[in-house]
């Protein structure tokens, strides 16, 4: 039988809200765990010369993944060796936090680390880890539809992940190769979802998601 979710995972879903009695210390402990995971991911990204994404920067399709090439080349063997051994653990931790957190500040921190991890895998041409990271983002960017087919509102969760996905597309567009099919299908479905919810298609719809 499946194991019950650890209480720490339950506690993190209350971060930013009033936690149940007796869960305060656990929530604070999990906030520390979140920070530790994000710092570990950030350390690997630093080895690759990846700089954090700035939400204020204009979107421009990169000819190559944005990174400090000198730093990347200096550390490429070490960075690839680390990720070859640990990418599945990093990704599992980030995905668990991504689908569990409801606190916007903590979710934004995790998504920023998730983007850095995906960017690092793309820059190093680690295709398996890159595509394994992109797939959950593509799924989570889309709103769900109930069984009767009635569109449901886009949640802040969907918007945050859509922003991360779109910026990654611009950062990694030149090296996505076969992964473009997954990304384009997701963007098409997102565009359709926006139209169904009364948001204009095309550039206007993208502006609504990514100002």
């Amino acid at each position: 039988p499946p194991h019950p979710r650890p209480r720490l995972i339950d506690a993190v879903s209350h971060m930013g809200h009033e936690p149940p009695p007796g869960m305060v210390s656990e929530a604070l402990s999990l906030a520390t765990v979140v920070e530790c995971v994000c710092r570990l991911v950030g350390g690997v990204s630093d080895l690759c010369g990846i700089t954090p994404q700035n939400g204020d920067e204009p979107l421009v399709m990169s000819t190559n993944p944005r990174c400090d090439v000198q730093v990347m080349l200096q550390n490429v063997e070490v960075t690839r060796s680390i990720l070859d051994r640990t990418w599945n653990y990093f990704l599992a931790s980030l995905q668990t936090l991504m689908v569990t957190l409801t606190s916007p500040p903590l979710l934004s921190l995790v998504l920023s680390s998730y983007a850095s991890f995906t960017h690092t895998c793309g820059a190093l041409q680690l295709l398996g880890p890159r595509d394994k990271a992109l797939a959950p983002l593509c799924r989570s960017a889309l709103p769900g539809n109930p069984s009767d087919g009635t569109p449901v509102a886009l949640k802040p969760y969907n918007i945050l992940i859509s922003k991360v996905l779109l910026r990654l597309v611009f950062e990694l567009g030149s090296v996505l190769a076969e992964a473009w099919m997954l990304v384009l299908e997701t963007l098409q479905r997102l565009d359709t979802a926006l139209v169904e919810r009364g948001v204009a298609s095309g550039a206007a719809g993208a502006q609504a998601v990514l100002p």
Side-chain angles (χ1 to χ4, degrees), residues 17-141:
H17 306 282
E18 187 65 28
M23 201 175 276
V24 175
S25 60
E26 292 190 14
L28 292 176
S29 297
L30 192 49
T32 303
V33 171
V34 169
E35 183 175 2
C36 289
V37 170
C38 292
R39 283 182 178 272
L40 285 170
V41 173
V44 176
S45 297
D46 288 344
L47 284 173
C48 193
I50 303 296
T51 55
Q53 290 182 325
N54 184 349
D56 297 328
E57 294 178 1
L59 291 177
V60 178
M61 187 68 73
S62 300
T63 54
N64 292 293
R66 177 175 50 84
C67 65
D68 187 319
V69 176
Q70 183 176 355
V71 172
M72 183 185 71
L73 293 177
Q74 180 180 350
N75 300 311
V76 63
E77 291 186 6
V78 173
T79 311
R80 289 183 67 98
S81 177
I82 292 173
L83 286 174
D84 282 341
R85 292 169 170 80
T86 62
W87 71 265
N88 51 331
Y89 301 109
F90 276 131
L91 190 55
S93 299
L94 290 169
Q95 287 176 356
T96 298
L97 293 171
M98 182 178 73
V99 301
T100 303
L101 289 166
T102 58
S103 167
L106 284 181
L107 180 57
S108 294
L109 179 63
V110 169
L111 287 176
S112 177
S113 293
Y114 199 113
S116 294
F117 172 85
T118 310
H119 191 163
T120 301
C121 293
L124 293 173
Q125 285 294 284
L126 297 172
L127 305 187
R130 180 203 66 190
D131 293 350
K132 291 283 188 180
L134 279 173
L137 284 179
C138 289
R139 289 194 300 267
S140 299

Side-chain angles (χ1 to χ4, degrees), residues 177-202:
E178 291 83 0
W180 265 114
M181 293 300 295
L182 174 64
V183 170
L184 289 174
E185 180 183 354
T186 301
L187 294 179
Q188 178 61 54
R189 291 176 63 188
L190 182 59
D191 186 70
T192 301
L194 291 171
V195 172
E196 290 175 346
R197 288 154 180 79
V199 180
S201 180

Side-chain angles (χ1 to χ4, degrees), residues 53-55 57 59 163-171:
Q53 290 182 325
N54 184 349
E57 294 178 1
L59 291 177
K163 289 181 178 182
V164 171
L165 178 62
L166 285 171
R167 289 199 171 274
L168 278 171
V169 168
F170 277 84
E171 293 285 356

